[in-house]
Amino acid sequence: MVLFDLDGQLIWHDPAEPAMEAMLAQVVEALGVTGFNPHTGRSLYRLARSAGLTELTVRVEPNHLIVGRVNERERARWALKLDVARPAITHAVGSAEQAGRAIETFMRFLENEDSLTYSVSFTVTGRVPLATTTAAAAANTDTMDR
């Protein structure tokens, strides 16, 4: 079985500009009611163990890493991401006007030669124990016979 998720999305930035950090905190909090958690990736190993998976391996790799001024291709990708997220940002900050300012603030941050932003991806692989696999298959066969 393969589990994959991000860690640090929307939260790891330097220098941490207070206005941008406050806006991102509002957005992350608002997205929390939808199930968004910026730290899900780091939980995958524990969740895999609690699900009974065996032979676990964990890989952590950069998901995005922008050091200094963002290049045009990555800038366009972030502009698209933020445009898709605009309704959630609007809800989080209270108005379309404030959302526009928040997006502009983040895009300005990406233009800063001194900035660094990143997130990582976690991939956890493991095996479903044979007994569990056999029991699940038997239960499925039993259900299909009815």
Side-chain angles (χ1 to χ4, degrees):
M1 178 171 287
V2 177
L3 306 172
F4 175 90
D5 213 323
L6 302 179
D7 207 87
Q9 187 76 354
L10 295 178
I11 59 170
W12 292 336
H13 314 285
D14 187 68
E17 299 174 10
M20 187 179 79
E21 292 293 316
M23 175 271 300
L24 289 172
Q26 285 180 296
V27 170
V28 168
E29 182 179 343
L31 290 174
V33 300
T34 69
F36 175 78
N37 177 346
H39 301 295
T40 299
R42 69 183 67 178
S43 303
L44 295 179
Y45 175 76
R46 176 181 46 80
L47 294 170
R49 282 186 44 81
S50 69
L53 299 181
T54 62
E55 301 177 44
L56 295 173
T57 62
V58 177
R59 285 185 59 172
V60 179
E61 300 173 332
N63 176 59
H64 81 270
L65 173 62
I66 302 170
V67 179
R69 184 184 190 104
V70 66
N71 66 48
E72 284 305 312
R73 180 175 180 201
E74 195 66 22
R75 185 184 195 296
R77 289 170 61 182
W78 274 96
L80 178 61
K81 287 180 189 182
L82 293 171
D83 193 46
V84 169
R86 187 179 295 270
I89 296 169
T90 300
H91 175 74
V93 299
S95 74
E97 183 179 323
Q98 287 180 311
R101 281 197 301 268
I103 290 169
E104 288 172 16
T105 298
F106 189 79
M107 295 305 291
R108 247 189 337 272
F109 169 79
L110 293 177
E111 298 292 330
N112 182 345
E113 287 290 345
D114 295 326
S115 68
L116 182 140
T117 185
Y118 71 103
S119 66
V120 296
S121 62
F122 274 80
T123 305
V124 176
T125 60
R127 292 195 179 273
V128 177
L130 184 57
T132 303
T133 305
T134 304
N140 191 27
T141 302
D142 183 47
T143 304
M144 292 174 71
D145 290 339
R146 291 182 192 168

